Amino acid sequence: MGIIFNQKEQVFLLNTPNTTYGIAIADDKYLLHLYYGKRLEQESVRYLLREDEPPFVPSKNLREKNSFLDCAPMEYPEAGMGDYRESAISIRSIDGYRGSELFYEGYDIEEGKPKLEGLPATWGGASDCTTLKLYCKDQLLGIKVTLLYTVFEQLDVVTRSVVVENHGEDPVYLEKVLSACIDMDDRGFEVMGLFGSWARERHIQKMPLGYGRQNISSFKGESSHQEHPFLALVTPEVTQEVGEVYAMNFVYSGNFIAQVEKNQFDSVRMTMGIHPEGFTWKLDKGERFVAPEVVMVYSSEGLGKMTRTFHNLYREHLIRSPYLHQKRPILINNWEATYFDFDEKKLLDIAKEASQLGIEMLVMDDGWFGHRSSDNSSLGDWFVNENKLKGGLHQLVENVKQTGMKFGIWFEPEMISPDSELFKKHPDWAIQIPGREITQSRAQYVLDLTRDEVIDGVYQMVSDVLHSADISYVKWDMNRQLTTIGSCKLPADRQGEIYHRYVLGMYKMQERLLQEFPNLLLENCSGGGARFDAGMLYYSPQIWCSDDTDAIERLAIQEGTALIYPVSTIGAHVSVCPNHTVGRETPFDTRGNVAMLGTFGYELDITKLSKEDKQSVCEQTKQYHKYNDLVREGDYYRLTSYRENSYYDSWMIVSKDKKKALLTYVQVKARANGKSRFVRLQGLDANKTYTIQGKEYLGSTLLYAGLRFSAEFGDYKSQMIEIEEV
Ligand code: GLA
């Protein structure tokens, strides 16, 4: 069993194969954090609490209670009582007082993992995981807080979330409810996060940890292009293979804060949860609030181990789609091919040509509905524009199917254009502050998904379209962030709930879609990859990673994304050159080799490709069928990073049984007077013999000495190398 309660010491130890997480009940009934890190085999570890050091037991040293609160390693710190570090929970009473004190009341240990109502979360049965519930209470307010910890028995993962219940007589206002907090001594940590912009998502950044607070956050209403709900503390020597990593990833798609704070005593507090900015949740008598889940991974074997732990967890215990373990159809999307300028003939021409070359599905992107011919109108009018698609959707889909291809379609269900039938009918359906101008972004407003009638109205239109033809795939887009936060229906003291209610509404819609269309392949998207997060993976097995389809730009984007998320989830396509975002020219095979680290598909007008490029498409689609089982199900190893060395990028996918591997090497820049270099491989079995391009090598040789790559003449050259056990 992964969870031990040492009654004598009043200590809980949460064990995974290689890690231990410890919590202690203090004599005063505070819950204190004891330890997180490499697995401890000893069960009596209460000495880690430093109780003999003043001011550690308030009941014995009450005059220093403030110092106790401000330096004790609190398991779930409260605001307002004396801990000046970042709090995890802040509660305002009906009288306006801000403060709470949570004291331990009891625990339960259960097999498996309870669901988090209305929220995406990892899941597992009795043989996969065990859950600890710690019950705490604030007597004065009658607030009960349950801290939930799930330990995955086979993976080095502890997940956390929190349930707050009002057992008092009066309502309270939750001003902050974070999901996880850990305190520990600083060990020279550095902070790692993912940062970016539109078309430049999730670039890895490492910064020194200084005194004070450093946070990564979004209050844009989505996880965002710019910052990402992931934070890791790493020891300075960290590489892919060595060093310690404490990582947190949020299974949530809205506002978040991930923060690390180093204080006067060189202790570090790491927190993650819903961003308190713009958040106040009224909790009436008898109501409960469930905070989304944080996944914590500790690795003492570098970043690579952390990555593979996240990948395994998400593939085995987060993504529910029936497509998870299936080869997805190779798709061709018409966005970069035509933008808004298409009709049924153009689409059919693409489908005909594509089907000849091994492509399996046509996706009709933005512009098929209402009177949309640019991004200025029609969001919300989810009915087919028959001026554009003469004969209607059903006919088009049947014609596409005649070519042997499946059909997919684009929606942006959370939005409403000011120029739309829907807005004329329901101007109050947009998120807005009455009396103020609604801030536009891409000429559109955001629908008020806090309201059931809005969800029902829009969902019905989407569902009708999906019933009207044989549609295999939906790309669900979300092309702007939230502003002018207000709902025409919520009462004044619930307006602070909009951001979170919006996310819950969006989850509800996606859940409904999956229930009604269980065979639909759903791909999420948000102006490229602004909502590529663990929350959305609960609903869709793949997410469009970035609007930037340039192979070289994609190296850093995909490296950052694959740091946490399985490569089978990364929407990646081959597009034309000069690339539409950066104007770069890259070889066609390099574009294919980079997109192969993902779902794989095309984003171009295939009718306009040269004969040679069409030939390459044929080869690539064959390669996809050859390698996708391995890429989708294997273990990902990052070998070198162009981000760090400026010249070359390389990665490997190794099958779980270590019999097969695929290595991709990209020489990003040619180097004057460059010599060949050895790249040390990872993930192979040291004792197996492998064959590469007709030569045999012992695994240990490839792991310790490496494989030689010659310096090539010219930029952007790449190779994909098959490795197989003899
Ligand atoms: C977003 C998506 C693109 C495309 C456009 C359509 O930017 O990321 O792939 O679908 O919207 O407007």
Side-chain angles (χ1 to χ4, degrees):
M1 162 113 86
I3 299 175
I4 299 166
F5 180 50
N6 181 333
Q7 180 78 35
K8 190 163 158 262
E9 291 214 334
Q10 295 287 291
V11 161
F12 296 94
L13 293 176
L14 285 58
N15 289 324
T16 70
N18 300 294
T19 75
T20 295
Y21 186 100
I23 305 158
I25 307 161
D27 293 349
D28 317 81
K29 300 289 179 205
Y30 288 100
L31 277 179
L32 300 182
H33 180 68
L34 197 66
Y35 172 78
Y36 188 32
K38 209 163 171 163
R39 180 159 172 150
L40 305 179
E41 297 304 336
Q42 179 177 330
E43 282 185 23
S44 69
V45 286
R46 194 176 169 98
Y47 78 95
L48 292 169
L49 266 190
R50 302 175 172 137
E51 280 170 311
D52 51 348
E53 201 175 296
F56 262 87
V57 185
S59 55
K60 293 185 194 141
N61 187 12
L62 190 57
R63 64 184 299 277
E64 293 305 340
K65 184 166 175 183
N66 189 182
S67 330
F68 163 77
L69 290 172
D70 196 33
C71 72
M74 293 293 177
E75 187 58 26
Y76 196 65
E78 305 106 341
M81 300 305 294
D83 186 346
Y84 297 111
R85 295 164 293 176
E86 184 73 32
S87 59
I89 187 164
S90 177
I91 308 176
R92 181 162 46 86
S93 72
I94 191 164
D95 305 313
Y97 301 115
R98 191 166 160 269
S100 59
E101 267 198 305
L102 297 169
F103 291 106
Y104 170 78
E105 294 217 307
Y107 77 96
D108 269 319
I109 295 175
E110 292 170 7
E111 287 185 339
K113 187 169 190 290
K115 281 196 163 169
L116 299 182
E117 292 149 46
L119 285 166
T122 57
W123 40 266
S127 57
D128 306 311
C129 52
T130 314
T131 299
L132 169 67
K133 293 180 173 172
L134 294 176
Y135 305 115
C136 309
K137 193 158 183 191
D138 181 288
Q139 285 298 347
L140 187 67
L141 297 171
I143 295 296
K144 191 169 158 189
V145 172
T146 306
L147 305 180
L148 294 155
Y149 301 80
T150 297
V151 177
F152 282 84
E153 312 276 337
Q154 306 305 324
L155 293 165
D156 292 320
V157 170
V158 177
T159 65
R160 289 182 66 171
S161 59
V162 177
V163 178
V164 185
E165 288 164 287
N166 187 351
H167 291 257
E169 287 308 312
D170 298 315
V172 296
Y173 294 91
L174 304 176
E175 295 189 324
K176 184 204 271 183
V177 186
L178 300 188
S179 301
C181 170
I182 47 172
D183 283 354
M184 55 192 164
D185 287 349
D186 184 23
R187 296 207 298 281
F189 287 126
E190 292 175 335
V191 185
M192 195 173 219
L194 299 171
F195 296 85
S197 181
W198 171 76
R200 214 171 350 100
E201 297 90 340
R202 289 175 296 286
H203 283 224
I204 298 172
Q205 180 179 283
K206 210 160 65 162
M207 334 160 244
L209 170 63
Y211 289 102
R213 296 173 184 194
Q214 280 161 265
N215 69 55
I216 298 171
S217 70
S218 162
F219 43 88
K220 296 183 156 80
E222 60 175 357
S223 39
S224 90
H225 295 102
Q226 290 75 11
E227 304 189 23
H228 195 76
F230 164 80
L231 175 74
L233 284 179
V234 299
T235 47
E237 75 282 10
V238 84
T239 64
Q240 286 296 313
E241 291 166 288
V242 301
E244 285 183 89
V245 184
Y246 292 85
M248 286 187 183
N249 190 205
F250 207 17
V251 188
Y252 187 61
S253 314
N255 291 353
F256 73 90
I257 184 160
Q259 182 170 281
V260 52
E261 176 180 7
K262 180 168 154 179
N263 78 349
Q264 53 183 331
F265 305 115
D266 291 325
S267 82
V268 170
R269 173 168 289 175
M270 187 177 180
T271 45
M272 183 175 272
I274 291 181
H275 204 308
E277 168 104 27
F279 172 87
T280 310
W281 193 277
K282 183 181 182 197
L283 205 63
D284 271 326
K285 181 180 174 182
E287 282 185 343
R288 52 202 258 136
F289 178 84
V290 184
E293 175 172 77
V294 166
V295 174
M296 301 195 306
V297 172
Y298 166 80
S299 158
S300 59
E301 293 162 53
L303 289 164
K305 173 76 192 302
M306 173 206 76
T307 293
R308 287 183 291 283
T309 303
F310 275 119
H311 288 194
N312 288 336
L313 178 78
Y314 291 165
R315 282 186 295 196
E316 290 159 28
H317 300 285
L318 176 68
I319 302 168
R320 301 170 297 166
S321 168
Y323 292 94
L324 172 67
H325 296 297
Q326 287 179 31
K327 235 189 273 163
R328 322 282 155 78
I330 303 176
L331 68 82
I332 182 158
N333 178 305
N334 74 305
W335 179 241
E336 286 195 28
T338 64
Y339 295 102
F340 294 101
D341 183 18
F342 62 88
D343 56 16
E344 81 288 350
K345 180 173 179 314
K346 180 80 235 177
L347 294 176
L348 214 51
D349 286 348
I350 292 178
K352 278 182 195 150
E353 187 71 49
S355 67
Q356 302 295 309
L357 306 176
I359 297 174
E360 298 156 316
M361 179 162 73
L362 174 78
V363 174
M364 177 171 69
D365 209 278
D366 192 355
W368 56 266
F369 50 91
H371 63 275
R372 190 154 166 106
S373 53
S374 74
D375 55 10
N376 277 323
S377 80
S378 305
L379 295 169
D381 295 346
W382 299 113
F383 42 84
V384 177
N385 178 350
E386 297 209 11
N387 291 327
K388 221 174 195 176
L389 302 180
K390 298 195 181 60
L393 186 63
H394 182 80
Q395 192 54 54
L396 172 68
V397 176
E398 289 307 307
N399 291 343
V400 168
K401 278 172 58 191
Q402 289 288 316
T403 70
M405 305 256 284
K406 292 173 188 277
F407 186 86
I409 195 167
W410 179 98
F411 282 101
E412 199 178 350
E414 300 160 64
M415 298 291 151
I416 181 165
S417 302
D419 176 8
S420 65
E421 300 292 316
L422 190 69
F423 190 68
K424 265 186 228 140
K425 219 154 104 198
H426 298 291
D428 64 313
W429 278 21
I431 286 187
Q432 60 194 281
I433 301 175
R436 290 196 187 281
E437 178 194 346
I438 316 176
T439 316
Q440 291 197 25
S441 180
R442 208 191 193 208
Q444 63 198 60
Y445 303 148
V446 183
L447 281 168
D448 183 358
L449 299 187
T450 70
R451 292 166 59 178
D452 279 342
E453 68 273 28
V454 177
I455 292 181
D456 293 346
V458 175
Y459 180 82
Q460 200 49 54
M461 285 188 266
V462 172
S463 162
D464 288 348
V465 172
L466 295 180
H467 279 299
S468 73
D470 187 2
I471 296 174
S472 308
Y473 158 110
V474 162
K475 176 174 170 188
W476 178 305
D477 208 340
M478 194 261 193
N479 274 321
R480 64 155 291 180
Q481 296 155 341
L482 276 56
T483 55
T484 37
I485 304 303
S487 165
C488 297
K489 277 285 158 69
L490 280 177
D493 61 356
R494 289 200 180 268
Q495 291 286 331
E497 300 173 13
I498 293 174
Y499 278 118
H500 183 54
R501 284 185 184 274
Y502 175 85
V503 177
L504 295 178
M506 180 271 295
Y507 287 152
K508 200 163 154 185
M509 274 174 96
Q510 294 219 344
E511 188 64 43
R512 204 154 145 190
L513 186 72
L514 298 179
Q515 296 305 328
E516 192 176 348
F517 302 95
N519 295 322
L520 191 73
L521 171 57
L522 181 63
E523 174 154 2
N524 270 295
C525 171
S526 178
R531 214 166 49 185
F532 199 125
D533 58 55
M536 300 314 292
L537 287 181
Y538 187 69
Y539 302 93
S540 66
Q542 60 196 62
I543 303 177
W544 184 228
C545 185
S546 176
D547 277 344
D548 195 335
T549 50
D550 173 71
I552 302 307
E553 295 294 303
R554 273 292 182 122
L555 294 176
I557 298 171
Q558 294 182 185
E559 181 191 1
T561 307
L563 184 71
I564 322 168
Y565 305 108
V567 300
S568 62
T569 66
I570 298 179
H573 297 167
V574 173
S575 63
V576 292
C577 283
N579 177 266
H580 289 195
T581 309
V582 290
R584 186 177 283 127
E585 298 269 0
T586 51
F588 204 89
D589 67 331
T590 294
R591 286 177 254 160
N593 292 347
V594 173
M596 213 59 85
L597 188 77
T599 55
F600 197 73
Y602 293 85
E603 186 98 12
L604 42 74
D605 186 347
I606 203 141
T607 62
K608 294 195 180 133
L609 287 191
S610 68
K611 227 169 119 196
E612 296 76 54
D613 286 351
K614 282 185 188 166
Q615 187 50 39
S616 299
V617 172
C618 270
E619 281 153 24
Q620 287 171 348
T621 53
K622 281 192 200 115
Q623 275 179 339
Y624 169 82
H625 286 291
K626 186 165 177 206
Y627 296 130
N628 185 258
D629 286 345
L630 170 63
V631 172
R632 212 181 53 241
E633 307 289 342
D635 287 333
Y636 164 83
Y637 291 84
R638 169 58 52 172
L639 305 181
T640 62
S641 170
Y642 157 60
R643 201 173 37 82
E644 287 166 355
N645 63 35
S646 311
Y647 291 99
Y648 59 108
D649 221 59
S650 55
W651 60 85
M652 272 172 83
I653 308 283
V654 182
S655 65
K656 293 270 178 203
D657 61 9
K658 300 198 180 286
K659 289 185 170 177
K660 270 190 187 170
L662 188 68
L663 187 160
T664 310
Y665 178 92
V666 183
Q667 173 180 288
V668 178
K669 275 200 265 172
R671 195 175 204 181
N673 197 20
K675 297 275 179 290
S676 64
R677 63 185 78 237
F678 284 92
V679 173
R680 290 196 300 169
L681 275 43
Q682 293 175 39
L684 299 176
D685 183 334
N687 300 315
K688 285 192 196 304
T689 303
Y690 293 95
T691 145
I692 302 177
Q693 291 163 342
K695 280 198 193 145
E696 288 190 5
Y697 305 81
L698 197 57
S700 53
T701 315
L702 295 168
L703 294 171
Y704 311 147
L707 201 63
R708 190 160 74 92
F709 288 87
S710 323
E712 300 274 331
F713 187 70
D715 295 338
Y716 317 136
K717 300 282 169 69
S718 70
Q719 317 177 34
M720 247 177 14
I721 296 170
E722 255 183 86
I723 302 173
E724 232 173 317
E725 189 189 0
V726 177

